[in-house]
Amino acid sequence: MISTVHPRLRPIRDKVEAGERLSLDDGVLMYENDIPLHDLGALANIVRERWNGSFGYYNINTHLNPTNVCVYRCTFCAFRSDLRDPKGYVMSDEQILARAQEAVDNGCTEMHVVGGLHHQKGYDWYVNLVRIVHQAHPQLHLKAWTGVEINWFEFLTKKPVKEILQDLIDAGLGSMPGGGAEIFHPEVRDKICEHKSDARNWLHIHRTAHELGLKTNCTMLYGHIENAWHRIDHLNRLRELQDETGGFQTFIPLAFHPENTGLSHIQKPSALMDLRTMAISRLMLDNIPHIKAYWIMLGIGTAQAALAYGADDLDGTVRHELIYHDAGAVTPEILSVEDIRRLIEEAGRQPVERDTLYHRVERDPANPTQWSVGEPVGVA
Ligand code: V47
């Protein structure tokens, strides 16, 4: 029982303590500046500990962005390139397989694959990438292609989403990352990424993935031109889909990084805004088991603090990240396992290595690159 909260938060405190759902108005209220951040942290921590006790999760993973050439021109993106821009690249099958080999040699359990929508690459190129990596390294989990990419494949093939996802599952897809959600509301979406998958399509793709038994993640890009109401509307759409399917594993709030983007005049959100959004996400998304503090994007200090503001997961050790580093992130490109475990312990949490589907990972101490999958994590 939390006895002292800001008077305007008392009804919300009572609902959180009773395990009742917060309304959209509650969500918008929590974004008001006079609502103390530490009160939100304490409330979010109740929900966090209900789901995940004092565990702080991480995984050992790598990123693969096979091309940055993209037909879309999302104003917030610093990663994309035109075909003839000197910055543009496309990886060969050999380079992709070398990355997968490097990942396995370093004990990675997951490869997170996303990239541009290259108009000279057909659907088969994207399916083949999954197939060749999976065939070479069946134990490496492929978390690949966002809802936006799947929507592009629909355009390329004119096939139903279900068939596309089934092709990818047959090729070795393990789950889908949460990117491409940005802000669902058309008042914002039409200004920052008008051409790509709209909210209805993004949600339909994730619903279909869940129906096929695929777990997926979800995200929200905040701190640009949206307001509090747009954010709460976004969280509510995710919460409603999760009520239907239960297929989301983790939500990742993504702080906008302005450098080298079409929105470079906007200030990066403050650490206070990051922690507020983390806490509000945990409180609103009462039905999603995990909230991730993606350290690459938040910075190490804020990510550590976020473990007391609703987050239970720091993502991974991460190799070869480009999307945030192109947009001005100053975080290192990789953390060692020792570092990430220490960060979690310093935050007063118990570090647990998980796989992509949130099972404990057991490692052979004599040969730590060898691993096996243990019990599901969590307490709820
Ligand atoms: O969809 C792009 C965002 C996303 C910028 O599922 C930007 O486990 C801020 O979704 N500033 C891709 N954000 C990253 C992503 C993700 C990351 C970590 C883990 C998982 C997961 C998913 O990055 C894009 C977009 O929303 N993004 N550019 C930028 N300048």
Side-chain angles (χ1 to χ4, degrees):
M1 167 88 183
I2 298 181
S3 50
T4 52
V5 290
H6 189 283
R8 295 179 71 207
L9 270 181
R10 281 183 201 142
I12 293 179
R13 181 223 22 220
D14 294 348
K15 285 189 198 175
V16 171
E17 287 183 341
E20 286 170 23
R21 178 154 283 189
L22 300 186
S23 69
L24 275 69
D25 288 343
D26 292 334
V28 173
L29 184 145
M30 291 189 285
Y31 266 115
E32 289 186 20
N33 275 341
D34 67 324
I35 300 298
L37 178 59
H38 58 269
D39 283 352
L40 295 179
L43 293 176
N45 198 48
I46 295 176
V47 183
R48 183 243 199 257
E49 294 197 350
R50 225 175 249 152
W51 278 103
N52 291 295
S54 201
F55 298 127
Y57 308 112
Y58 67 96
N59 71 349
I60 301 187
N61 67 343
T62 189
H63 284 213
L64 179 81
N65 306 125
T67 178
N68 61 353
V69 175
C70 191
V71 289
Y72 294 140
R73 293 173 175 272
C74 303
T75 55
F76 56 80
C77 182
F79 168 70
R80 77 162 298 281
S81 170
D82 286 333
L83 185 64
R84 288 189 182 78
D85 191 312
K87 178 185 167 220
Y89 72 85
V90 184
M91 291 172 76
S92 65
D93 286 0
E94 291 68 34
Q95 288 171 318
I96 290 164
L97 285 169
R99 278 289 183 80
Q101 184 66 54
E102 179 199 53
V104 169
D105 291 345
N106 284 286
C108 291
T109 59
E110 168 189 287
M111 187 177 235
H112 177 162
V113 187
V114 287
L117 305 169
H118 192 305
H119 47 293
Q120 292 183 346
K121 294 290 175 197
Y123 174 58
D124 290 347
W125 185 74
Y126 292 87
V127 180
N128 187 52
L129 186 156
V130 173
R131 185 177 300 111
I132 60 173
V133 175
H134 181 68
Q135 277 176 357
H137 304 288
Q139 207 190 7
L140 184 66
H141 181 106
L142 288 171
K143 182 176 80 176
W145 311 134
T146 68
V148 169
E149 280 141 327
I150 305 296
N151 185 241
W152 175 246
F153 304 156
E154 283 182 81
F155 171 77
L156 290 178
T157 62
K158 314 292 177 233
K159 285 194 196 190
V161 176
K162 197 170 173 180
E163 273 181 41
I164 291 169
L165 290 172
Q166 195 58 58
D167 289 345
L168 289 165
I169 293 169
D170 294 344
L173 183 75
S175 67
M176 278 170 60
E182 323 312 358
I183 288 283
F184 289 139
H185 200 287
E187 274 171 19
V188 175
R189 200 170 186 88
D190 290 351
K191 292 192 182 116
I192 61 170
C193 52
E194 64 172 324
H195 297 297
K196 76 182 187 189
S197 169
D198 63 10
R200 200 179 60 86
N201 283 322
W202 192 97
L203 291 164
H204 171 64
I205 288 163
H206 281 257
R207 180 183 294 107
T208 311
H210 300 166
E211 283 165 3
L212 289 171
L214 274 185
K215 291 290 183 189
T216 73
N217 294 341
C218 51
T219 58
M220 172 174 76
L221 177 68
Y222 66 91
H224 43 92
I225 61 165
E226 88 293 355
N227 62 33
W229 190 83
H230 296 127
R231 282 177 225 129
I232 297 301
D233 168 72
H234 185 96
L235 296 177
N236 187 50
R237 294 187 203 214
L238 294 173
R239 185 167 79 176
E240 284 180 348
L241 179 55
Q242 181 73 344
D243 277 344
E244 264 181 63
T245 66
F248 287 128
Q249 306 195 100
T250 184
F251 171 75
I252 310 115
L254 296 170
F256 175 53
H257 280 48
E259 227 174 88
N260 306 319
T261 74
L263 297 173
S264 57
H265 57 286
I266 294 177
Q267 286 280 317
K268 188 170 176 289
S270 68
L272 298 180
M273 174 63 169
D274 294 336
L275 293 176
R276 187 174 291 266
T277 298
M278 196 66 67
I280 293 173
S281 303
R282 178 62 289 175
L283 288 164
M284 294 302 293
L285 298 175
D286 53 14
N287 53 3
I288 297 188
H290 302 285
I291 304 287
K292 191 183 278 188
Y294 183 38
W295 63 266
I296 290 261
M297 169 273 291
L298 288 173
I300 287 170
T302 308
Q304 258 186 316
L307 293 172
Y309 282 78
D312 55 273
D313 192 305
L314 288 189
D315 195 75
T317 45
V318 185
R319 280 168 186 268
H320 303 297
E321 199 287 330
L322 293 177
I323 295 175
Y324 282 87
H325 288 97
D326 281 358
V330 292
T331 40
E333 225 229 286
I334 185 167
L335 281 180
S336 67
V337 173
E338 293 70 33
D339 283 342
I340 208 162
R341 292 184 71 91
R342 179 181 48 77
L343 295 175
I344 294 169
E345 276 167 359
E346 281 174 3
R349 303 298 188 181
Q350 187 186 328
V352 173
E353 183 185 346
R354 59 151 181 98
D355 69 359
T356 311
L357 301 177
Y358 286 87
H359 296 88
R360 283 172 181 268
V361 170
E362 321 282 357
R363 291 206 179 251
D364 174 359
N367 187 359
T369 61
Q370 301 298 306
W371 54 275
S372 60
V373 177
E375 292 294 305
V377 304
V379 294

